[in-house]
Amino acid sequence: MITLHKPLLLLAFTGVISTAALQADSISLFDGKSLDGWTGDTSFWKVEDGAITGESTAANPCKKTTYLTYNKLEFGNFELSFSFRFMGDSGNSGIQYRSQWKDKAAFQIKGYQADMETGKNYSGILYEQDGRGIVAKRGEHVTLDEKGKKTIKKTFAKSAQLAQQSLKLKQWNTYKIVADGHTLTHEINGHKTIQVDDHQKGKFSLNGLLAIQLHQGPAMKVQFKDILMLEMEDNQTE
């Protein structure tokens, strides 16, 4: 169970979280000027224009996918929001959450990933790095039972389509990840992209590391800012 920094205020008479409570209880994971609290290969990661910046170039290619990992806390139940942008015509990145170290010395992470790219297929999906691969495509509500049997409900395909249409290159976009017990939800620019109810034994994760991905391959540049974490109470059991 993750310790809360401040109590989460609930409006008991409506059963919803107040906007003021969300703002008051969120903590910033990035100070806007340094990589304090983050661990990664600084030949690829830096702060530029007030944003965490991951960049590979022809002179400094990323031959193996690498991660910048938050090192002060691990997180369980939460709402994470942040802004991101790709500064070129191509790019592939993601946010790892409830993840684990694969190889700490090599900055390698495995686990849930909220994907983003400059292409048209993967932004907003749920991918499990070094695990089950694509767990939910954009527009899918997926349920995985204890044995891993997958049931797919395409209940918000229009919202997912709008999320793709709303993405802008070289401009800031917003991403929100909500992890509540076994339920995981992604939103891009206010549009829901996936929901997953993951109960697969030996596969689901209820807490872990947060990290940013810089994908191997062609030169690219991606930036992140306004990284806000709201921790929520853990009312779930495994």
Side-chain angles (χ1 to χ4, degrees):
M1 178 177 176
I2 301 300
T3 302
L4 298 178
H5 293 277
K6 297 180 182 179
L8 184 64
L9 302 179
L10 298 179
L11 298 180
F13 57 89
T14 62
V16 299
I17 301 174
S18 72
T19 301
L22 288 173
Q23 294 175 344
D25 293 332
S26 294
I27 60 170
S28 176
L29 303 186
F30 171 51
D31 64 15
K33 58 186 179 181
S34 74
L35 294 179
D36 178 48
W38 297 84
T39 299
D41 185 343
T42 54
S43 68
F44 294 110
W45 298 102
K46 60 186 176 182
V47 175
E48 182 177 287
D49 301 325
I52 291 177
T53 302
E55 183 175 17
S56 59
T57 64
N60 183 36
C62 184
K63 297 180 180 179
K64 188 173 184 179
T65 299
T66 191
Y67 299 85
L68 183 72
T69 304
Y70 190 70
N71 60 34
K72 291 185 176 181
L73 291 169
E74 294 187 2
F75 301 101
N77 284 0
F78 62 83
E79 178 178 306
L80 175 71
S81 63
F82 59 92
S83 298
F84 73 96
R85 67 180 177 184
F86 288 98
M87 298 302 291
D89 294 329
S90 65
N92 187 337
S93 184
I95 295 287
Q96 296 287 141
Y97 63 96
R98 289 185 175 179
S99 293
Q100 296 80 42
W101 286 109
K102 178 184 177 183
D103 184 339
K104 191 172 183 179
F107 309 112
Q108 296 297 302
I109 296 290
K110 60 182 180 178
Y112 293 138
Q113 181 186 121
D115 215 336
M116 64 198 73
E117 59 155 353
T118 53
K120 299 181 179 180
N121 298 311
Y122 302 116
S123 292
I125 71 166
L126 176 63
Y127 184 84
E128 186 179 55
Q129 183 69 41
D130 290 285
R132 291 169 289 180
I134 296 176
V135 179
K137 297 177 182 179
R138 201 166 48 222
E140 291 183 343
H141 179 181
V142 170
T143 298
L144 292 160
D145 68 15
E146 292 184 353
K147 295 182 179 180
K149 181 180 178 181
K150 180 185 287 190
T151 302
I152 301 174
K153 302 176 182 179
K154 294 190 176 182
T155 57
F156 42 89
K158 184 176 181 181
S159 178
Q161 181 182 13
L162 291 173
Q164 175 62 35
Q165 293 172 350
S166 74
L167 284 168
K168 299 293 188 293
L169 284 177
K170 303 180 185 179
Q171 297 181 38
W172 292 107
N173 300 276
T174 61
Y175 213 127
K176 183 167 76 172
I177 302 166
V178 179
D180 185 7
H182 292 268
T183 301
L184 313 171
T185 307
H186 299 172
E187 292 183 10
I188 291 180
N189 291 332
H191 303 290
K192 188 174 181 178
T193 58
I194 63 97
Q195 181 176 323
V196 173
D197 302 305
D198 189 3
H199 298 273
Q200 187 174 357
K201 285 191 174 181
K203 299 293 185 179
F204 70 77
S205 177
L206 293 178
N207 67 279
L209 297 164
L210 182 77
I212 304 172
Q213 181 196 65
L214 182 72
H215 206 280
Q216 65 188 39
M220 61 165 284
K221 185 175 182 179
V222 63
Q223 294 186 305
F224 299 84
K225 68 175 184 176
D226 304 326
I227 307 172
L228 298 176
M229 170 65 73
L230 175 71
E231 295 182 83
M232 301 187 295
E233 289 187 25
D234 183 0
N235 296 317
Q236 301 281 336
T237 59
E238 295 191 12

